[in-house]
């Protein structure tokens, strides 16, 4: 004897079967997320909103100049100190005292020079700081647009120098660092 399904069961059977198929079909998609990648031509963005890159270059150059001057003056002090020590060992106390006074005078001059140049660098840093606010705004704008458009990764289309990072933004969902560390720790 074959038992027939009731009318109610027969009506819902196709929907239950379709539901099982949809759930089964959706599982692989959940395990394999689709990564959307976007590109951004940073050169064009910077050309559209020119920041004062010269101020940063001038700041770095001036900072290097000042450090070179301080290094030269410090080297001169070391030479004077070595000469003073040499004179003291030879017994020329009066000449060594003169060198000592010269060392004190030049040490004070270096301190004064460094303080003045630090003030100069602080003023230049304020100009550079204004440019950094644009960079921060740019970074947050890239993240906001990428998230709104559903991208997981934004790459720089045109990197001018080798030092710049080709990845401008990435979603934390594509970061597998913790999983790799965990796998290495577990010996997998």
């Amino acid at each position: 004897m074959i038992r027939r399904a009731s009318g109610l069961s027969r009506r819902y059977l196709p929907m239950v079967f379709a539901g099982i198929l949809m759930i089964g079909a959706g599982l692989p998609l959940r395990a394999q997320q689709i990564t959307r990648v976007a590109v951004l031509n940073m050169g064009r963005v910077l050309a559209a909103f020119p920041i004062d890159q010269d101020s940063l270059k001038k700041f770095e150059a001036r900072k290097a100049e000042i450090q070179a001057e301080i290094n030269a003056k410090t080297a001169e002090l070391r030479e004077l100190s070595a000469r003073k020590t040499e004179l003291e060992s030879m017994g020329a106390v009066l000449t060594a005292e003169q060198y000592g006074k010269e060392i004190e005078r030049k040490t004070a001059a270096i301190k004064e020079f460094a303080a003045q140049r630090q003030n100069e660098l602080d003023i230049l840093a304020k100009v550079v700081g204004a440019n950094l606010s644009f960079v921060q705004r740019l970074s947050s704008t890239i993240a906001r647009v990428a998230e709104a458009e559903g991208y997981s990764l934004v790459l720089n289309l045109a990197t001018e120098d080798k030092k710049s990072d080709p990845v401008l933004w990435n979603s934390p969902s594509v970061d597998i660092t913790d999983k790799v560390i965990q796998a290495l720790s577990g010996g997998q």
Side-chain angles (χ1 to χ4, degrees):
M1 220 176 0
I2 298 176
R3 216 168 154 201
R4 289 190 173 192
S6 69
L8 186 62
S9 305
R10 216 182 303 170
R11 195 166 53 153
Y12 288 111
L13 188 61
M15 286 193 289
V16 171
F17 184 67
I20 292 172
L21 282 177
M22 286 175 32
I23 291 172
L27 288 177
L29 291 179
R30 191 171 265 250
Q32 180 184 10
Q33 291 182 348
I34 297 174
T35 300
R36 291 187 62 204
V37 177
V39 293
L40 176 73
N41 189 328
M42 188 62 86
R44 280 186 47 211
V45 171
L46 293 177
F49 298 94
I51 59 173
D52 190 5
Q53 294 175 0
D54 289 337
S55 65
L56 180 60
K57 290 178 184 176
K58 286 178 185 176
F59 175 78
E60 292 296 330
R62 185 63 183 141
K63 185 176 164 183
E65 286 174 22
I66 291 170
Q67 189 59 53
E69 288 180 56
I70 290 173
N71 290 347
K73 292 178 185 230
T74 304
E76 184 182 344
L77 274 178
R78 277 192 227 109
E79 289 175 18
L80 285 174
S81 182
R83 181 68 180 142
K84 177 186 173 215
T85 304
E86 184 182 318
L87 288 170
E88 286 173 340
S89 67
M90 293 188 317
V93 177
L94 289 176
T95 308
E97 285 178 8
Q98 290 174 336
Y99 270 86
K101 289 178 185 177
E102 182 71 12
I103 290 169
E104 287 176 17
R105 186 183 65 75
K106 288 193 176 199
T107 300
I110 289 175
K111 287 180 181 177
E112 178 67 24
F113 175 81
Q116 290 173 350
R117 295 306 161 260
Q118 185 60 50
N119 288 337
E120 178 184 341
L121 288 176
D122 289 344
I123 292 168
L124 289 173
K126 287 180 183 176
V127 173
V128 172
N131 292 334
L132 290 179
S133 68
F134 172 78
V135 172
Q136 291 168 340
R137 200 174 93 219
L138 174 63
S139 180
S140 66
T141 302
I142 290 170
R144 188 175 61 249
V145 170
E147 288 172 349
E149 297 291 322
Y151 292 108
S152 301
L153 188 66
V154 178
L155 301 175
N156 188 358
L157 184 62
T159 54
E160 276 92 43
D161 60 0
K162 302 293 183 202
K163 294 178 186 174
S164 66
D165 192 359
V167 176
L168 297 173
W169 177 85
N170 67 285
S171 169
S173 68
V174 296
D175 184 359
I176 62 168
T177 306
D178 291 336
K179 292 177 183 176
V180 170
I181 290 171
Q182 188 177 26
L184 286 172
S185 296
Q188 295 176 356

